Amino acid sequence: MLYSIDCWMTTNKLLMREGLDTNWDSIPLKGGTSMRLTLVGTGYVGLVAAVCFAKLGHDVIAVDREPVIRGLLENKSKVWEPHLEPELADVMAKGRLRFETSIVKSAADADSLMIAVGTPTRPDGQTELGHIHEVLAQLMQSGTCPPLVIIKSTVPVGTCDELEASLLAAGLHTEVAFNPEFLRQGSALHDFTAPDRIVLGCKTSQAETMLRELYEGIEAPIHVCDRRSAELIKYASNAFLAMKISFANMMSDVCEGYGADIRHVMNGVGADRRIGPEFLSAGVGYGGSCFSKDLQALLTTGKLIGSKLPLLEATAKVNDQRIPRMIAKLISLWGNPLGKRLCVLGIAFKPNTNDVRDAPFLTLLAQCERHGIEVQAFDPVVAHVGAKAVKVMDSPYTAAAKADAVLIMTEWPQFAELDWPYLLHLMRQPLVLDGRNLLPDSMISQIVAVDDAVYVPVGRPMECSTSVREERP
Ligand SMILES: NC(=O)c1ccc[n+]([C@@H]2O[C@H](COP(=O)([O-])OP(=O)(O)OC[C@H]3O[C@@H](n4cnc5c(N)ncnc54)[C@H](O)[C@@H]3O)[C@@H](O)[C@H]2O)c1
């Protein structure tokens, strides 16, 4: 069966295949407007938050730079999230969410202003707060600011105190609260409306009351604390999740050395309620815009007070070794990598998102280029990568044509349903590296039934077709 990208991108089909969120109930629209909220930043966090707050009954104005707002109005948002498009259309049609480019104009009558702009890492390891400062500078210049500014962006400990002090120095008596976001891209709407917890870092009971009003309608435990603790909760949470992934990856190397199976090991470990089963999958490592960035920010935070935070250093180091280890495996199977063609399935850093920021794929691509390996890639929702060293194809089968190996980089569930014997038949060499341990045993049996086929998982013994096995001593 051949798939065109349009076919793969047909949202409903995609959701049915991925088995995720298919029972998504549209968020019920609450009656009456309870708060006028201006939200700056319409990226992966801001756009989802804007839609969800509008659904919760608030009157929301979302602000971003002109080209971003134009893109949104022309239905060409850079953000792809399951269910986002219809929910966005719904709140816009009902007049609950509007888009603007002027922060000052949008904030003039707002009860509160939420900031969800990017906070990337600077080359010196510090967090770039320039986008947040830019927003506040406009308000300071105008001489007006809503009574409550809510920082949604992830910021280093002490930032809210500093921002509030600078507003005060400009004569603006505004409280700055911190309300971290824990959504996962790929299930962002679900996570936003059914979070494990809502953290409110604030100074006064008035701010707490306003924040509680904002989230009214969402059933979740609410943790209220001081701003500095809230700022650290966000970093510590991401660092801990990254640490779990690196722990699983470290153990997968031990499993490979001793012929054990990382899936069994981590199932056994994760069954302990004190540990929990999430984020214990071995693979090509974590990516995305948050984990590496937040780990780095926390490391820098520690350094500023003379603390080294060695667990975090080790977490990053283990993660950094995942792609070189995968390339080393490939080269040991190929011999000379020069001129080989690699088919990569999955470009985004995780399934159900089109986000390629800090994706392991990009690290892989750079290393393939260095070794002279040609890359053909396919992703269900990423049709373009700003790099010359890859050809992005419109189906997994065209990406596999004449390839010397196929590598599963992103655990899109539909990759497990491909016609693998046919895909191997299109390749020059039937070598499958399952970088996410995605394929079920039934599919692996079909793969190794193909002549000369080799299936290489992570953290467990590889499987070969009978003909290859016979050649081995
Ligand atoms: N992406 C996630 O999964 C996630 C999860 C939790 C927290 N966070 C944090 O949330 C923040 C935002 O992340 P994101 O992934 O949504 O970022 P993003 O890059 O997707 O979006 C940021 C948006 O802010 C806009 N922006 C920047 N400066 C602006 C300005 N001065 N005026 C108007 N608009 C401006 C940009 O144009 C962009 O559209 C970051 O601090 C991130 O660490 C992200």
Side-chain angles (χ1 to χ4, degrees), residues 448-449 452-453 462-473:
V448 295
D452 296 334
M462 67 166 129
E463 294 194 34
C464 309
S465 72
T466 322
S467 58
V468 174
R469 253 190 302 250
E470 278 166 359
E471 285 164 21
R472 297 188 161 200

Side-chain angles (χ1 to χ4, degrees), residues 150-338:
I150 306 159
I151 304 296
K152 191 54 126 174
S153 304
T154 304
V155 293
V157 58
T159 301
C160 288
D161 288 351
E162 285 163 20
L163 297 175
E164 191 176 288
S166 62
L167 285 167
L168 191 61
L172 297 170
H173 295 265
T174 290
E175 176 162 347
V176 177
F178 185 61
N179 168 222
E181 185 47 59
F182 299 100
L183 62 78
R184 294 162 301 173
Q185 286 176 229
S187 53
L189 275 96
H190 169 270
D191 293 354
F192 196 94
T193 49
D196 290 340
R197 77 300 208 188
I198 294 167
V199 173
L200 309 178
C202 42
K203 208 166 74 174
T204 65
S205 57
Q206 290 94 314
E208 181 189 332
T209 304
M210 285 178 87
L211 283 159
R212 282 183 182 274
E213 192 187 330
L214 199 56
Y215 281 99
E216 216 177 279
I218 292 185
E219 297 212 352
I222 295 186
H223 289 254
V224 183
C225 59
D226 64 279
R227 300 180 291 201
R228 287 179 180 239
S229 303
E231 286 161 340
L232 277 177
I233 287 172
K234 175 61 195 172
Y235 279 115
S237 300
N238 270 1
F240 198 84
L241 292 173
M243 203 166 71
K244 280 185 93 175
I245 294 173
S246 279
F247 182 80
N249 281 326
M250 178 190 78
M251 289 307 299
S252 81
D253 296 348
V254 179
C255 288
E256 278 178 20
Y258 283 90
D261 186 331
I262 189 68
R263 296 171 307 172
H264 292 310
V265 174
M266 285 302 131
N267 280 345
V269 170
D272 186 327
R273 270 182 297 151
R274 293 168 302 177
I275 298 170
E278 309 271 356
F279 284 74
L280 286 180
S281 299
V284 290
Y286 58 76
S289 67
C290 291
F291 279 2
S292 291
K293 162 178 91 73
D294 293 352
L295 217 62
Q296 184 53 56
L298 195 46
L299 276 165
T300 304
T301 299
K303 218 179 267 171
L304 293 174
I305 51 158
S307 269
K308 271 196 143 182
L309 313 186
L311 282 178
L312 305 191
E313 282 175 355
T315 298
K317 199 168 164 195
V318 170
N319 199 59
D320 289 347
Q321 288 162 352
R322 303 322 294 167
I323 295 295
R325 195 177 162 88
M326 189 56 81
I327 294 274
K329 265 186 197 175
L330 202 50
I331 292 177
S332 76
L333 288 156
W334 273 342
N336 184 3
L338 192 67

Side-chain angles (χ1 to χ4, degrees), residues 30 34 105 130 143 145 164 210 251 436 443 446:
K30 260 179 48 178
S34 24
K105 205 170 116 195
C145 187
E164 191 176 288
M210 285 178 87
M251 289 307 299
R436 298 286 186 178
M443 191 56 82
Q446 284 189 43

Side-chain angles (χ1 to χ4, degrees), residues 40-46 63-65 68 78-79 103 116-120 130-132 134-135 138 152-155 181-185 234 238 289-290 293-294 349 355 357:
V40 186
T42 61
Y44 287 88
V45 168
V63 187
D64 210 305
R65 301 188 193 282
V68 180
K78 67 160 193 182
V79 178
I103 293 168
V117 298
T119 47
H131 296 306
I132 294 182
E134 199 186 320
V135 174
Q138 292 181 41
K152 191 54 126 174
S153 304
T154 304
V155 293
E181 185 47 59
F182 299 100
L183 62 78
R184 294 162 301 173
Q185 286 176 229
K234 175 61 195 172
N238 270 1
S289 67
C290 291
K293 162 178 91 73
D294 293 352
F349 82 96
D355 195 354
R357 288 178 293 181

